Structure formats: structure tokens, C-alpha cells
Amino acid sequence: MTLLVTGGAGFIGGEVVRLALERGDAVRVLDSLRADVHAASVAPPDGVEFVHGDVRDPAVLDRALAGVDAVFHEAAKVGLGVDLQDAPDYVASNVLGTAELAAALARARVGRLVLASSMVVYGEGAYRDAEGRRRRPAARTVADLDAGRFEPRDPETGHPLEPDLVDEDDVLDPRNVYALTKLAQEHLASAWARSTGGRAALLRYHNVYGPRMPRDTPYAGVAAIFRSSLARGGAPRVFEDGAQRRDFVHVTDVAGANLAAADALDELPGGTARAFNVGSGVVTTVGELAAGLARAMGGPEPIVTGEYRLGDVRHITASSARARAELDWAPRVALADGLAEFASAEADSSAADGGGPEQGRLASEGVAR
Ligand code: UD1
């Protein structure tokens, strides 16, 4: 198979490239090497045909798609961002980029697409009340957050709710700009499939971590932020009360899910797109992650700050049973092993220049006490 990986010089795309090469696929990478994600010196992955360009450029896409059997669309602007001033760039990068890709796929008659989506499409996710009934909480108010009431409450009774695992058929409820761009990407992939007879897998990634995770940007995930603090000798700063739940899934497992999804695409009926949650299946709190990394790096105990970020969801954990059942895939990296490796690996210093000030900006503009 000849595969195109958009964003193939990035954290997740790069791992898809590595695994695809390992199993003998021919790999082409399309990457813009944009400066807010990559250091100027970043080298394209070895052993691949590299197309340097923007996924929004139709001519670049036509060149990149020639002779390709399947596309992995990993190029995106990720994370929560700084504030609403980021919105236009999220929409331009993620929504317009995917629309251009869909149009180019149709021109090139490429019929297989694996899309990097995200758990953020579920918003607050699924909860149950004391009687075990499914409930959808309203967004947390500033007053609640300021008062340290972090748990979402039953909209009718006001009682706290128990988080539950979401599955792919749960309600989609994007709650920030990044989340809505990921949902728009999914809809574009579905529209493309319907109108061309193509097949798409929509992979809703959980919180991905791994050795080359970008650090010290407003778009960095919490594991990278904690690792950077510990590497500087500082304590990880845990927001809210540290009990917020996530599923931290290793980048190699996510890349494995991408290849497994591409292999399974031909079993889907033509003209359809199917969503798959991709997580480790293990629920971890942010406080536990901080403590685990601090131990692995021999650093100071985490500090629970009580700060919060507006737009953060409280708990988001999903069932990845569908991916296991239908993609012949299972996560392999246990969190303790993944964190030990993560703790000792060199961070991707991309965009690290100025990382300190950026981090300060996030704290002053994006976080409230
Ligand atoms: C993350 C991803 C998002 C992805 C989603 C999948 C990032 C930036 N965001 O969102 O792209 O789609 O997972 O589920 O990678 N926190 C701290 N201290 C810090 C920073 C964060 O305690 O210094 C807390 C946050 O308040 C939040 C949790 O850690 O409760 C996770 O934050 P983050 O890593 O940004 O991830 P998500 O918001 O889950």
C-alpha cells in the first residue's frame, strides 16, 4: 500500500509513519512544518517521500495524493489554545484544511481515509445520577468553579453526578472551538464518503502522550506540561482538585489504531464513515498522572492549585470496545511503562524557544483562580 500521512512530521503522524514503514508500506508525508508546532530545524522522517506544503493548498494536495491508496489525516492545530483570538486559525487549519483534502481526495479518486478526531467531540461526556439514570450536565458556571465546585451537577436536582464511559453513539456536544473543528472534520469526512462512495474511519483519540510530545506551548497536553516542570526541578501544578478523569493513551497505540483502521476500511460499506474511540481503557485522574510522573522523574510532589481553565471538561473517558471488536486492535502500553519511558525521553523541543513566556501567557490569560 502507498499511504499519505498529513502532519507526518508531527507527534502522532510521525509515529504512524514509523509503524507503517516498519511493516513495509510505502509512505509519503505532507507537512507544512509550521513554526508554532515545529522547530525550524525539524527533519522530515527518514525513508519517506516528503512533500512540504500546506494541506489547504489544492495544488500541493494533488501532488501529494497521486498514486495513494489511503490517507491518514493527522495535520491539525491541536489543544485548547489561548483564547478566542485563536478561533480563526483553528477553523482555517482544521475545517478548511479538511474540506480541501476532501475535494482533493475526490479529484484523485482516493477512497480510504483515516481521520484524527478527538474525544472532545463528546463535551462533558456521559454521567449517571444516584438512580443510575443517564444525565447530561450543563456547562460548569464560573461561580461554581470559583467556589471550587468542580463536579458537574444534575441540571434538575443540583446533585453531583457519577461519570460514565461514553460510546460512539453518545450525544456529541463540542464545547470549545477546537472541539467544534474536530466535529466539523468528522462531518466533512462523512459528506465526502457519501458523495464519493469512499470509506472513512473517524478515530476519536483520548489524551495521547509519548516521547516526542510537544512541550511548552499553549497547545501542549498536560503530560508534557508536567514533564517540563519536573525537568526544571519544579512541581507539577494540578488544576481543579486533581480528581478530573482522563484516559492517557500511548502514541504507539494510537498509531497502531490508525493502521488497524486503514486495514479494516474495506469491510465498511462504501459511502460510510464510522467512529471509533481510541483510548487505553484505563481511567486515570490528572492528580494520579502528576504523582506518577513526579515519582518516575524523582521530582517534587505535585501541587494542587485549585485553578481552572474555562472550557475544560471535568471528566472525559470513553469505551474503546468498538475499536477492539472491529479493528482487531488492542492497546499494548501500560501507563506505568509508558510514563517511565516518557520520563526519561527527550522532549520534542519544537517551538520550545520562547516556551517559558508562552507558558506564562497561558497562566495569566487562560487560567482563573
Ligand atoms: C486533550 C487534548 C485535546 C484532545 C483531548 C482528547 C491537549 C492540549 N488537549 O484535552 O487536543 O482532543 O485531550 O480527550 O493536548 N491541567 C493541569 N495542569 C496543567 C495543564 C492542564 O492540571 O498545567 C489539567 C486540565 O485542567 C485538564 C487536564 O489537565 O483537566 C487535561 O488537560 P489537557 O492535557 O489540556 O487535555 P484535555 O483538555 O483533556
Side-chain angles (χ1 to χ4, degrees), residues 52-281:
H52 183 198
D54 196 300
V55 77
R56 289 165 290 191
D57 182 337
V60 164
L61 280 168
D62 288 344
R63 195 148 50 92
L65 283 169
V68 160
D69 298 298
V71 174
F72 299 85
H73 185 34
E74 315 287 333
K77 181 178 170 95
V78 301
L80 197 58
V82 177
D83 60 26
L84 207 61
Q85 298 312 308
D86 270 340
D89 192 35
Y90 272 108
V91 173
S93 304
N94 298 355
V95 184
L96 181 58
T98 305
E100 289 290 359
L101 176 63
L105 285 169
R107 287 194 297 276
R109 299 185 192 288
V110 175
R112 298 187 193 88
L113 173 64
V114 178
L115 174 75
S117 184
S118 166
M119 305 305 306
V120 289
V121 297
Y122 298 111
E124 258 309 334
Y127 287 78
R128 288 188 190 279
D129 64 15
E131 280 78 50
R133 288 175 306 209
R134 276 285 183 113
R135 280 279 181 266
R136 294 199 56 74
R140 300 180 296 172
T141 64
V142 171
D144 276 343
L145 293 165
D146 279 342
R149 289 188 297 269
F150 298 120
E151 290 297 337
R153 287 166 184 271
D154 190 312
E156 279 163 32
T157 65
H159 294 146
L161 296 165
E162 268 302 301
D164 199 6
L165 298 183
V166 286
D167 66 38
E168 290 82 352
D169 297 324
D170 265 303
V171 177
L172 303 178
D173 181 20
R175 294 204 173 180
N176 56 47
V177 173
Y178 170 68
L180 73 87
T181 68
K182 282 285 145 185
L183 187 52
Q185 289 188 316
E186 290 197 2
H187 287 313
L188 281 163
S190 301
W192 160 80
R194 271 196 305 280
S195 73
T196 62
R199 296 168 171 85
L202 317 172
L203 302 187
R204 295 177 180 158
Y205 302 160
H206 245 292
N207 295 59
V208 187
Y209 75 99
R212 290 180 57 237
M213 192 170 182
R215 60 167 173 150
D216 291 345
T217 83
Y219 315 103
V222 68
I225 295 172
F226 287 166
R227 181 173 62 175
S228 295
S229 304
L230 286 160
R232 290 193 295 265
R237 295 175 63 79
V238 177
F239 298 158
E240 304 188 15
D241 57 3
Q244 57 275 44
R245 303 179 188 202
R246 294 293 189 276
D247 177 331
F248 295 93
V249 59
H250 194 273
V251 65
T252 305
D253 285 331
V254 172
N258 272 267
L259 294 180
D263 291 345
L265 274 179
D266 288 347
E267 290 159 30
L268 283 182
T272 60
R274 190 154 172 79
F276 298 93
N277 296 334
V278 176
S280 71

Side-chain angles (χ1 to χ4, degrees), residues 25-53:
D25 290 312
V27 181
R28 191 177 296 156
V29 164
L30 168 60
D31 202 300
S32 64
L33 304 178
R34 54 188 282 178
D36 57 348
V37 180
H38 298 281
S41 59
V42 72
D46 286 339
V48 304
E49 194 186 332
F50 183 68
V51 179
H52 183 198

Side-chain angles (χ1 to χ4, degrees), residues 226 242-246 248 283-291 315 335:
F226 287 166
Q244 57 275 44
R245 303 179 188 202
R246 294 293 189 276
F248 295 93
V283 172
T284 305
T285 67
V286 171
E288 287 166 353
L289 174 82
H315 305 294
L335 185 63

